[in-house]
Amino acid sequence: MEIDESLPEFDRGLLLGSPLHSKNNIFDPGYMGSYFQTPEQVYESLQNMSELAIENTESFQALLEDSHRRGLGLYVTF
């Protein structure tokens, strides 16, 4: 929560991704946030994490690096 609260809204979106939704429904099975990143967005997030140099995000950066290396997208949920 500290990391999320310390980031501007624009940067939060770059790191989390985009919610999946239609006009009347949003995919959020846990009701706390559910986001998707394409492989291209994973690369952008990885670049942003490096530029922002946020403490205590090593495990998330490792996940981004692994996803990027494997050409995968990412599903982030809470």
Side-chain angles (χ1 to χ4, degrees):
M1 294 301 289
E2 286 179 42
I3 294 169
D4 185 60
E5 291 172 1
S6 71
L7 293 173
E9 188 171 335
F10 179 76
D11 289 331
R12 274 186 250 149
L14 289 174
L15 297 179
L16 292 176
S18 304
L20 179 64
H21 60 86
S22 66
K23 184 176 181 180
N24 297 320
N25 294 309
I26 188 164
F27 178 78
D28 188 8
Y31 302 106
M32 294 186 70
S34 189
Y35 305 90
F36 295 87
Q37 293 187 34
T38 65
E40 295 79 18
Q41 288 171 316
V42 166
Y43 179 72
E44 289 177 29
S45 292
L46 184 56
Q47 296 300 312
N48 285 318
M49 290 294 292
S50 298
E51 291 174 13
L52 293 172
I54 304 168
E55 293 182 22
N56 302 317
T57 59
E58 295 82 10
S59 61
F60 186 63
Q61 284 182 321
L63 176 64
L64 289 170
E65 289 169 2
D66 184 54
S67 297
H68 173 62
R69 184 175 56 254
R70 297 169 62 189
L72 301 173
L74 191 64
Y75 171 47
V76 178
T77 189
F78 301 95

